[in-house]
Amino acid sequence: MKILLLDKNHPLITEQLTAKGFSFVEDFSSSYEEVLNKVGEYDGIIIRSRIPLDQNFLEHAANLKFIARVGAGMENIDVEFAKKSGITLISSPEGNRDAVAEQVLGTLLILMNRLFISSQEVKNGIWKREENRGDEILGKTVGLIGYGNMGKAVARRFSGFGCKVIFHDILADLGDEFASQVSLETLKIEADILSLHLPITKETHYLIDEKFISEMNKEFYFVNTARGKNVNTKDLVTAIKAGKVKGAALDVLEFEKASFEKLDSENEDLQFLLDSEKVIVTPHIAGWTIQSKEKLAQVIVDKISAQFPQP
C-alpha cells in the first residue's frame, strides 16, 4: 500500500510501516490544490491538521482505503462522506490522553494557587502572601463533559486529590471507579470545576455560552483542552468579569487557525484573556509532550498494521 504523509511526525511511523511492507511519499509543503492533483495515487493518508480533507478532496481520492490522523479529533475530515466512501478512519487519542490529563491538573493547580502570578511578583521584588492565598481542590466537585480517552485519564489524575469527580457523556453506562456519570443538569448543579473533553460538532459548537454558564449553580473554575470553538469567548469573558467563572485555563482558543499553527484573529475578548490574571492561556500544547509524540505515532502504526496487514 502506498501512503501519503502530509505532516511531519515521529520517524517511527515511516520506519516501522516501511519494514512492514508499506511505501511512503512525504509532502509537507504542497498546497491543498497541489495535493488534490495527485491524491488519487494513494491507498492511505496520514495527517495531523495542515490540510482539510473535505468532500471535494475525498472525491479525488479514488483509491483511498484509510485516513489516519495523528491526534484525537477528526474535525478536519469530512467523516460522513469518508464513511460513505468506504474509507477507514483511524485516530490516536490513546497516545496523548496522559499528556492532556497532566496539563489539565497542572494548569488548574497553577491557576487556583496563583503560582505563576506570585512567582512573577517575587521575581520583580514584590512579596505578597495574603493576596496570593490559594484555593484547594480537596473537597470540591470536578465536572467533566465527555468521558472518552481524555476524560477518563483526567478523572484518574484527580483520584488522589480528595475530590468528587462526576461526568456527563452522550453515551450511557460509562461510570467507573474514578468518576460517576450524571445528567448535564446534575453536573451544572454540583460542579466547582468544569473541564471539557469533547470533539467539535454541530451539537458542541458554542456549548459553553451565556445560557450554559448562567445555569451553573456555583461560581466555578473552567478548563478547556478540547477545542476552542466549544466555547463562546465573548460569553466566557463576560462571566469572568462578573466573577461567575473564578478562573480559566485555556489551551485552545476560538481564534485559532484550523491547522492549530497560530491565532487567526485579534479582538478585545482575546486581549482580555491574554491580559487577565484569572486566565492561563497556552498554545494548544495539552497533548504535546516528548512522550506523546512517540506514543501517538506508535498507536497509528499499530492500528494501520492491524487493519491493513501487508503480504
Side-chain angles (χ1 to χ4, degrees), residues 29 36 58 60 67 73 82 107-108 124 134 148 153-154 158 174 177 181 195 201 237 243 245 265 267 284 300 302:
S29 60
L36 204 65
L58 298 177
H60 284 74
I67 299 167
T107 53
L108 191 61
N124 286 288
V154 170
F158 277 109
L174 297 179
E177 62 185 301
Q181 188 160 6
S195 185
T201 65
V237 166
V245 173
S265 65
N267 58 67
H284 206 129
I300 288 295
D302 293 344

Side-chain angles (χ1 to χ4, degrees), residues 92-294:
S92 52
E94 303 91 341
N96 64 351
R97 60 190 174 192
D98 295 313
V100 169
E102 289 193 11
Q103 173 139 338
V104 169
L105 191 56
T107 53
L108 191 61
L109 288 168
I110 291 169
L111 182 70
M112 294 175 65
N113 291 282
R114 296 176 60 85
L115 299 180
F116 180 76
I117 295 167
S118 58
S119 175
Q120 290 299 108
E121 287 176 348
V122 173
K123 288 180 179 181
N124 286 288
I126 301 168
W127 189 271
K128 294 180 179 179
R129 297 186 68 223
E130 185 58 36
E131 295 88 343
N132 287 308
R133 191 178 288 275
D135 193 5
E136 297 179 10
I137 294 174
L138 178 69
K140 289 185 171 55
T141 297
V142 178
L144 311 176
I145 302 184
Y147 206 62
N149 281 281
M150 309 304 171
K152 290 176 181 178
V154 170
R156 285 196 293 273
R157 296 311 187 285
F158 277 109
S159 63
F161 277 78
C163 58
K164 178 182 178 182
V165 183
I166 58 176
F167 71 90
H168 174 72
D169 196 286
I170 58 173
L171 301 178
D173 301 321
L174 297 179
D176 56 26
E177 62 185 301
F178 301 110
S180 302
Q181 188 160 6
V182 299
S183 68
L184 191 56
E185 291 70 26
T186 298
L187 185 143
K188 290 176 181 177
I189 292 170
E190 296 188 6
D192 300 287
I193 297 165
L194 177 65
S195 185
L196 298 189
H197 303 283
L198 298 162
I200 187 70
T201 65
K202 291 179 181 178
E203 291 74 26
T204 64
H205 185 267
Y206 280 180
L207 175 69
I208 307 303
D209 60 5
E210 181 182 12
K211 181 176 184 294
F212 188 104
I213 294 169
S214 70
E215 292 170 349
M216 292 289 288
N217 184 50
K218 304 176 185 178
E219 295 176 354
F220 65 98
Y221 294 96
F222 179 62
V223 185
N224 189 12
T225 54
R227 289 294 183 261
K229 288 184 172 59
N230 291 139
V231 180
N232 183 309
T233 305
K234 184 174 290 295
D235 293 350
L236 176 62
V237 166
T238 299
I240 294 170
K241 290 178 178 178
K244 184 62 180 283
V245 173
K246 299 166 74 172
L250 308 173
D251 184 55
V252 291
L253 293 165
E254 181 182 352
F255 313 109
E256 289 178 73
K257 288 181 69 66
S259 62
F260 309 142
E261 293 172 342
K262 60 181 180 179
L263 292 174
D264 199 23
S265 65
E266 296 181 11
N267 58 67
E268 62 181 77
D269 293 318
L270 173 60
Q271 196 59 49
F272 172 85
L273 297 177
L274 299 179
D275 293 340
S276 176
E277 287 190 347
K278 295 182 178 180
V279 182
I280 294 173
V281 182
T282 49
H284 206 129
I285 56 169
W288 211 250
T289 62
I290 296 167
Q291 292 79 9
S292 72
K293 183 176 182 179
E294 181 173 346

